PDB file of all heavy atoms in Angstrom:
ATOM      1  N   ASN V   5     -71.532  67.316  40.921  1.00 97.00           N
ATOM      2  CA  ASN V   5     -70.324  67.511  41.688  1.00 97.00           C
ATOM      3  C   ASN V   5     -69.700  68.894  41.430  1.00 97.00           C
ATOM      4  O   ASN V   5     -69.194  69.557  42.243  1.00 97.00           O
ATOM      5  CB  ASN V   5     -69.383  66.463  41.406  1.00 97.00           C
ATOM      6  CG  ASN V   5     -69.848  65.043  41.911  1.00 97.00           C
ATOM      7  OD1 ASN V   5     -70.714  65.046  42.904  1.00 97.00           O
ATOM      8  ND2 ASN V   5     -69.390  64.062  41.446  1.00 97.00           N
ATOM      9  N   LYS V  20     -73.301  85.857  48.194  1.00 93.00           N
ATOM     10  CA  LYS V  20     -74.596  85.791  48.778  1.00 93.00           C
ATOM     11  C   LYS V  20     -75.475  84.506  48.387  1.00 93.00           C
ATOM     12  O   LYS V  20     -76.164  83.923  49.245  1.00 93.00           O
ATOM     13  CB  LYS V  20     -75.414  87.023  48.630  1.00 93.00           C
ATOM     14  CG  LYS V  20     -74.914  88.155  49.428  1.00 93.00           C
ATOM     15  CD  LYS V  20     -75.867  89.391  49.157  1.00 93.00           C
ATOM     16  CE  LYS V  20     -75.194  90.647  49.941  1.00 93.00           C
ATOM     17  NZ  LYS V  20     -76.059  91.767  49.721  1.00 93.00           N
ATOM     18  N   PRO V  22     -74.559  81.283  46.614  1.00 97.00           N
ATOM     19  CA  PRO V  22     -73.713  80.547  45.950  1.00 97.00           C
ATOM     20  C   PRO V  22     -74.193  79.362  45.072  1.00 97.00           C
ATOM     21  O   PRO V  22     -73.706  79.096  43.976  1.00 97.00           O
ATOM     22  CB  PRO V  22     -72.852  79.859  47.163  1.00 97.00           C
ATOM     23  CG  PRO V  22     -73.736  80.032  48.336  1.00 97.00           C
ATOM     24  CD  PRO V  22     -74.523  81.273  48.058  1.00 97.00           C
ATOM     25  N   LEU V  23     -75.257  78.764  45.491  1.00 96.00           N
ATOM     26  CA  LEU V  23     -75.880  77.656  44.780  1.00 96.00           C
ATOM     27  C   LEU V  23     -76.508  78.262  43.379  1.00 96.00           C
ATOM     28  O   LEU V  23     -76.248  77.691  42.431  1.00 96.00           O
ATOM     29  CB  LEU V  23     -76.868  76.857  45.622  1.00 96.00           C
ATOM     30  CG  LEU V  23     -77.471  75.655  44.846  1.00 96.00           C
ATOM     31  CD1 LEU V  23     -76.327  74.656  44.433  1.00 96.00           C
ATOM     32  CD2 LEU V  23     -78.419  74.939  45.832  1.00 96.00           C
ATOM     33  N   LEU V  42     -80.936  71.181  36.388  1.00 92.00           N
ATOM     34  CA  LEU V  42     -81.581  70.327  37.548  1.00 92.00           C
ATOM     35  C   LEU V  42     -81.973  68.940  37.119  1.00 92.00           C
ATOM     36  O   LEU V  42     -81.896  68.147  38.016  1.00 92.00           O
ATOM     37  CB  LEU V  42     -82.649  71.242  38.199  1.00 92.00           C
ATOM     38  CG  LEU V  42     -82.222  72.433  38.778  1.00 92.00           C
ATOM     39  CD1 LEU V  42     -83.469  73.318  39.209  1.00 92.00           C
ATOM     40  CD2 LEU V  42     -81.353  72.355  39.926  1.00 92.00           C
ATOM     41  N   LYS V  46     -76.494  64.254  36.835  1.00 97.00           N
ATOM     42  CA  LYS V  46     -75.545  63.207  36.665  1.00 97.00           C
ATOM     43  C   LYS V  46     -74.763  63.258  35.440  1.00 97.00           C
ATOM     44  O   LYS V  46     -73.910  62.372  35.113  1.00 97.00           O
ATOM     45  CB  LYS V  46     -76.216  61.819  36.874  1.00 97.00           C
ATOM     46  CG  LYS V  46     -76.904  61.643  38.236  1.00 97.00           C
ATOM     47  CD  LYS V  46     -75.911  61.820  39.359  1.00 97.00           C
ATOM     48  CE  LYS V  46     -76.614  61.683  40.649  1.00 97.00           C
ATOM     49  NZ  LYS V  46     -75.758  62.163  41.777  1.00 97.00           N
ATOM     50  N   ASN V  51     -63.955  67.845  29.380  1.00 96.00           N
ATOM     51  CA  ASN V  51     -62.823  68.713  29.952  1.00 96.00           C
ATOM     52  C   ASN V  51     -63.000  70.150  29.582  1.00 96.00           C
ATOM     53  O   ASN V  51     -62.850  71.070  30.390  1.00 96.00           O
ATOM     54  CB  ASN V  51     -61.524  68.113  29.568  1.00 96.00           C
ATOM     55  CG  ASN V  51     -60.380  68.817  30.296  1.00 96.00           C
ATOM     56  OD1 ASN V  51     -60.404  68.956  31.551  1.00 96.00           O
ATOM     57  ND2 ASN V  51     -59.389  69.304  29.715  1.00 96.00           N
ATOM     58  N   LYS V  56     -64.227  75.723  31.226  1.00 98.00           N
ATOM     59  CA  LYS V  56     -65.009  76.918  30.897  1.00 98.00           C
ATOM     60  C   LYS V  56     -65.766  77.298  32.306  1.00 98.00           C
ATOM     61  O   LYS V  56     -65.677  78.508  32.748  1.00 98.00           O
ATOM     62  CB  LYS V  56     -65.995  76.813  29.820  1.00 98.00           C
ATOM     63  CG  LYS V  56     -65.489  76.954  28.498  1.00 98.00           C
ATOM     64  CD  LYS V  56     -66.516  76.814  27.409  1.00 98.00           C
ATOM     65  CE  LYS V  56     -66.008  76.896  26.115  1.00 98.00           C
ATOM     66  NZ  LYS V  56     -67.165  76.803  25.143  1.00 98.00           N
ATOM     67  N   LYS V  58     -64.888  76.501  35.295  1.00 97.00           N
ATOM     68  CA  LYS V  58     -63.872  76.997  36.320  1.00 97.00           C
ATOM     69  C   LYS V  58     -63.451  78.441  36.069  1.00 97.00           C
ATOM     70  O   LYS V  58     -63.273  79.281  36.998  1.00 97.00           O
ATOM     71  CB  LYS V  58     -62.657  76.015  36.290  1.00 97.00           C
ATOM     72  CG  LYS V  58     -62.989  74.787  37.176  1.00 97.00           C
ATOM     73  CD  LYS V  58     -61.799  73.802  37.178  1.00 97.00           C
ATOM     74  CE  LYS V  58     -60.507  74.277  37.113  1.00 97.00           C
ATOM     75  NZ  LYS V  58     -59.412  73.147  37.271  1.00 97.00           N
ATOM     76  N   LYS V  59     -63.329  78.809  34.691  1.00 97.00           N
ATOM     77  CA  LYS V  59     -62.908  80.139  34.342  1.00 97.00           C
ATOM     78  C   LYS V  59     -63.984  81.129  34.781  1.00 97.00           C
ATOM     79  O   LYS V  59     -63.780  82.138  35.351  1.00 97.00           O
ATOM     80  CB  LYS V  59     -62.710  80.156  32.839  1.00 97.00           C
ATOM     81  CG  LYS V  59     -62.171  81.584  32.468  1.00 97.00           C
ATOM     82  CD  LYS V  59     -61.942  81.541  30.960  1.00 97.00           C
ATOM     83  CE  LYS V  59     -61.388  82.920  30.489  1.00 97.00           C
ATOM     84  NZ  LYS V  59     -61.133  82.943  29.092  1.00 97.00           N
ATOM     85  N   PHE V  84     -82.120  91.580  28.887  1.00 97.00           N
ATOM     86  CA  PHE V  84     -81.249  92.691  28.277  1.00 97.00           C
ATOM     87  C   PHE V  84     -79.834  92.251  28.218  1.00 97.00           C
ATOM     88  O   PHE V  84     -79.314  91.611  29.198  1.00 97.00           O
ATOM     89  CB  PHE V  84     -81.454  94.016  29.069  1.00 97.00           C
ATOM     90  CG  PHE V  84     -82.708  94.681  28.989  1.00 97.00           C
ATOM     91  CD1 PHE V  84     -83.833  94.302  29.674  1.00 97.00           C
ATOM     92  CD2 PHE V  84     -82.880  95.630  27.912  1.00 97.00           C
ATOM     93  CE1 PHE V  84     -85.081  94.916  29.532  1.00 97.00           C
ATOM     94  CE2 PHE V  84     -84.187  96.125  27.794  1.00 97.00           C
ATOM     95  CZ  PHE V  84     -85.239  95.902  28.570  1.00 97.00           C
ATOM     96  N   ILE V  92     -75.947  97.569  36.089  1.00 94.00           N
ATOM     97  CA  ILE V  92     -76.746  96.381  36.051  1.00 94.00           C
ATOM     98  C   ILE V  92     -78.093  96.842  36.431  1.00 94.00           C
ATOM     99  O   ILE V  92     -78.317  97.310  37.558  1.00 94.00           O
ATOM    100  CB  ILE V  92     -76.267  95.234  36.880  1.00 94.00           C
ATOM    101  CG1 ILE V  92     -74.921  94.788  36.325  1.00 94.00           C
ATOM    102  CG2 ILE V  92     -77.153  94.126  36.907  1.00 94.00           C
ATOM    103  CD1 ILE V  92     -74.132  93.886  37.403  1.00 94.00           C
ATOM    104  N   TYR V 108     -99.556 106.780  32.746  1.00 96.00           N
ATOM    105  CA  TYR V 108     -99.980 107.042  31.194  1.00 96.00           C
ATOM    106  C   TYR V 108    -100.784 105.889  30.711  1.00 96.00           C
ATOM    107  O   TYR V 108    -100.785 105.724  29.534  1.00 96.00           O
ATOM    108  CB  TYR V 108     -98.707 107.268  30.512  1.00 96.00           C
ATOM    109  CG  TYR V 108     -98.016 108.528  30.876  1.00 96.00           C
ATOM    110  CD1 TYR V 108     -96.791 108.410  31.577  1.00 96.00           C
ATOM    111  CD2 TYR V 108     -98.522 109.768  30.637  1.00 96.00           C
ATOM    112  CE1 TYR V 108     -96.096 109.587  31.949  1.00 96.00           C
ATOM    113  CE2 TYR V 108     -97.845 110.887  30.903  1.00 96.00           C
ATOM    114  CZ  TYR V 108     -96.677 110.808  31.650  1.00 96.00           C
ATOM    115  OH  TYR V 108     -95.998 111.938  32.071  1.00 96.00           O
ATOM    116  N   ILE V 119     -82.585 110.139  30.152  1.00 95.00           N
ATOM    117  CA  ILE V 119     -81.221 110.742  30.297  1.00 95.00           C
ATOM    118  C   ILE V 119     -80.315 109.627  30.964  1.00 95.00           C
ATOM    119  O   ILE V 119     -80.641 109.261  32.068  1.00 95.00           O
ATOM    120  CB  ILE V 119     -81.190 112.057  30.989  1.00 95.00           C
ATOM    121  CG1 ILE V 119     -82.114 112.995  30.155  1.00 95.00           C
ATOM    122  CG2 ILE V 119     -79.862 112.600  31.076  1.00 95.00           C
ATOM    123  CD1 ILE V 119     -82.408 114.229  30.944  1.00 95.00           C
ATOM    124  N   ILE V 127     -86.506 102.506  29.394  1.00 98.00           N
ATOM    125  CA  ILE V 127     -87.275 103.070  28.221  1.00 98.00           C
ATOM    126  C   ILE V 127     -87.735 101.987  27.245  1.00 98.00           C
ATOM    127  O   ILE V 127     -88.897 102.133  26.734  1.00 98.00           O
ATOM    128  CB  ILE V 127     -86.529 104.218  27.432  1.00 98.00           C
ATOM    129  CG1 ILE V 127     -87.542 105.157  26.647  1.00 98.00           C
ATOM    130  CG2 ILE V 127     -85.393 103.734  26.699  1.00 98.00           C
ATOM    131  CD1 ILE V 127     -87.052 106.463  26.200  1.00 98.00           C
ATOM    132  N   LEU V 128     -86.844 101.029  26.989  1.00 98.00           N
ATOM    133  CA  LEU V 128     -87.301 100.007  26.054  1.00 98.00           C
ATOM    134  C   LEU V 128     -88.354  99.083  26.665  1.00 98.00           C
ATOM    135  O   LEU V 128     -89.278  98.601  25.873  1.00 98.00           O
ATOM    136  CB  LEU V 128     -86.070  99.175  25.738  1.00 98.00           C
ATOM    137  CG  LEU V 128     -84.888  99.895  25.018  1.00 98.00           C
ATOM    138  CD1 LEU V 128     -83.781  98.957  24.776  1.00 98.00           C
ATOM    139  CD2 LEU V 128     -85.412 100.554  23.800  1.00 98.00           C
ATOM    140  N   ASN V 136     -97.628 102.513  20.972  1.00 95.00           N
ATOM    141  CA  ASN V 136     -97.662 103.747  20.292  1.00 95.00           C
ATOM    142  C   ASN V 136     -96.815 104.815  20.869  1.00 95.00           C
ATOM    143  O   ASN V 136     -96.752 105.997  20.490  1.00 95.00           O
ATOM    144  CB  ASN V 136     -99.150 104.249  20.184  1.00 95.00           C
ATOM    145  CG  ASN V 136     -99.988 103.381  19.318  1.00 95.00           C
ATOM    146  OD1 ASN V 136     -99.525 102.914  18.150  1.00 95.00           O
ATOM    147  ND2 ASN V 136    -101.195 103.168  19.686  1.00 95.00           N
ATOM    148  N   ASN V 155     -80.344  96.106  22.258  1.00 98.00           N
ATOM    149  CA  ASN V 155     -81.450  95.714  23.064  1.00 98.00           C
ATOM    150  C   ASN V 155     -82.771  96.205  22.304  1.00 98.00           C
ATOM    151  O   ASN V 155     -83.644  95.509  22.455  1.00 98.00           O
ATOM    152  CB  ASN V 155     -81.363  96.260  24.507  1.00 98.00           C
ATOM    153  CG  ASN V 155     -80.399  95.483  25.237  1.00 98.00           C
ATOM    154  OD1 ASN V 155     -80.204  94.186  25.140  1.00 98.00           O
ATOM    155  ND2 ASN V 155     -79.603  96.160  26.126  1.00 98.00           N
ATOM    156  N   TYR V 168     -79.092 109.251  21.204  1.00 96.00           N
ATOM    157  CA  TYR V 168     -78.059 110.266  20.957  1.00 96.00           C
ATOM    158  C   TYR V 168     -76.922 110.169  21.957  1.00 96.00           C
ATOM    159  O   TYR V 168     -77.189 110.105  23.181  1.00 96.00           O
ATOM    160  CB  TYR V 168     -78.784 111.734  21.163  1.00 96.00           C
ATOM    161  CG  TYR V 168     -79.929 111.893  20.236  1.00 96.00           C
ATOM    162  CD1 TYR V 168     -81.214 111.726  20.675  1.00 96.00           C
ATOM    163  CD2 TYR V 168     -79.726 112.393  18.866  1.00 96.00           C
ATOM    164  CE1 TYR V 168     -82.292 111.865  19.789  1.00 96.00           C
ATOM    165  CE2 TYR V 168     -80.868 112.597  18.111  1.00 96.00           C
ATOM    166  CZ  TYR V 168     -82.155 112.366  18.527  1.00 96.00           C
ATOM    167  OH  TYR V 168     -83.142 112.548  17.759  1.00 96.00           O
TER     168      TYR V 168
END
Side-chain angles (χ1 to χ4, degrees):
N5 291 338
K20 288 183 185 176
L23 185 56
L42 296 173
K46 299 301 178 192
N51 191 48
K56 282 183 181 177
K58 284 179 27 179
K59 184 177 179 183
F84 289 84
I92 298 168
Y108 296 106
I119 299 166
I127 197 163
L128 298 178
N136 293 321
N155 286 323
Y168 303 95

